[in-house]
Amino acid sequence: MTTRSPFPGAELNRLTDRQTARIRLYCVPPSGTGSAFFLPWVAAFSELFDLVAVDLPGRGTRSGEPSITDIGWAATGIAEAIAADLRHRPPADGFYAVFGHSFGALLAFEATHRLRAESGTEPDLLALSAVPPPNRDGLDDHIARNLGAGISVITEIMGWEEPTDEALTRTVYTPFLADAVALLQHTRRAWPPLRARLSVFGGLDDPMVDPESLHEWSAGTTADTRVHRFPGGHHYLRTQVAEVVDRLTGDLLAAYRSPAPDR
């Protein structure tokens, strides 16, 4: 008997609907944000790519719903939504990829393993941004060390300017605090290596993720791993959309043109 989730489920928002697309990219946004986080990517990707973003309850257009405070439930919901989408709207040539940034990268990683375990599928490429490798201190450690310092540290972690309006403060910080709870009670698992190629992204001055450790993600797959580092901190991606999309495009096309032998 399947256990019913106590939370509303993940939803997918089709940012594009390109008939000529050959590659589908599922995008998982960082803490406190919704699918709108990836809107700047629409113009940056060519017509070869179809972009589908995840919307979780409690954020963005779903801010009126209760936030998920359990990473396992969130990752399972994302995996189920992607699996259903793959069944109902199979991508051209069967090629798809998953990208996540920060907290979204952790969700993307765990959702990918659940796709493999529960649905017998995994992406041709998994792209992870601003998240430590599993053998290193995680985002939960940074939260645990700094959450007690208050709003100023939360603002720094999120890469936002501190809101001055009380209602806006509640809208902005409630989903982040829910994600903080999810991180603090999360138990990391030793997952078997994936077959998917990995692309790993990070900021050279990220206080939460040692950029020199990113290559250690290669232990998480039996396929190739590419690492890309950019100037900036934890939210380097916000100001370098074109540069990140360019590198990600190259990795996606390489994987598309030369599928991994054991895929």
Side-chain angles (χ1 to χ4, degrees):
M1 180 176 177
T2 302
T3 303
R4 183 175 176 83
S5 171
F7 306 103
E11 296 178 355
L12 299 180
N13 180 13
R14 312 200 86 81
L15 301 182
T16 63
D17 192 10
R18 293 166 171 166
Q19 301 303 311
T20 58
R22 312 307 298 175
I23 295 172
R24 183 174 301 165
L25 179 61
Y26 295 99
C27 303
V28 188
S31 180
T33 65
S35 58
F37 180 86
F38 291 104
L39 285 176
W41 286 32
V42 172
F45 272 105
S46 76
E47 295 292 321
L48 289 175
F49 300 88
D50 223 3
L51 304 185
V52 182
V54 171
D55 270 320
L56 290 172
R59 57 186 78 187
T61 59
R62 304 183 68 188
S63 60
E65 301 176 51
S67 297
I68 296 178
T69 54
D70 183 282
I71 284 175
W73 284 117
T76 297
I78 293 169
E80 290 175 348
I82 291 176
D85 192 58
L86 292 172
R87 289 193 302 270
H88 298 142
R89 296 187 60 168
D93 307 324
F95 187 101
Y96 76 99
V98 178
F99 175 92
H101 177 66
S102 188
F103 181 71
L106 178 59
L107 293 180
F109 174 71
E110 298 232 351
T112 294
H113 279 283
R114 284 166 170 79
L115 275 168
R116 179 179 181 176
E118 302 297 329
S119 301
T121 180
E122 61 183 90
D124 295 86
L125 183 139
L126 172 63
L128 304 170
S129 169
V131 67
N135 60 310
R136 295 276 187 155
D137 286 350
L139 300 177
D140 53 329
D141 297 282
H142 189 86
I143 294 294
R145 288 193 299 267
N146 295 284
L147 192 57
I151 292 295
S152 61
V153 171
I154 295 175
T155 302
E156 179 185 353
I157 292 171
M158 296 302 298
W160 294 332
E161 293 184 7
E162 187 172 338
T164 55
D165 178 79
E166 182 178 341
L168 181 59
T169 299
R170 180 176 301 176
T171 300
V172 167
Y173 289 118
T174 297
F176 171 81
L177 292 172
D179 293 343
V181 170
L183 281 166
L184 291 174
Q185 65 183 2
H186 178 54
T187 300
R188 299 184 219 175
R189 294 174 55 178
W191 296 100
L194 295 165
R195 297 186 302 273
R197 283 186 168 93
L198 289 186
S199 290
V200 184
F201 298 77
L204 289 169
D205 300 309
D206 190 339
M208 293 185 243
V209 184
D210 178 5
E212 297 303 319
S213 72
L214 295 178
H215 71 279
E216 296 171 15
W217 271 107
S218 62
T221 181
T222 58
D224 298 335
T225 299
R226 294 185 178 184
V227 177
H228 308 287
R229 302 179 181 91
F230 298 85
H234 192 66
H235 292 288
Y236 72 92
L237 187 152
R238 294 179 188 270
T239 58
Q240 299 183 78
V241 170
E243 293 83 355
V244 172
V245 167
D246 181 66
R247 297 287 184 89
L248 182 54
T249 293
D251 291 354
L252 288 166
L253 289 175
Y256 178 77
R257 291 164 179 159
S258 180
D262 56 351
R263 291 286 298 144

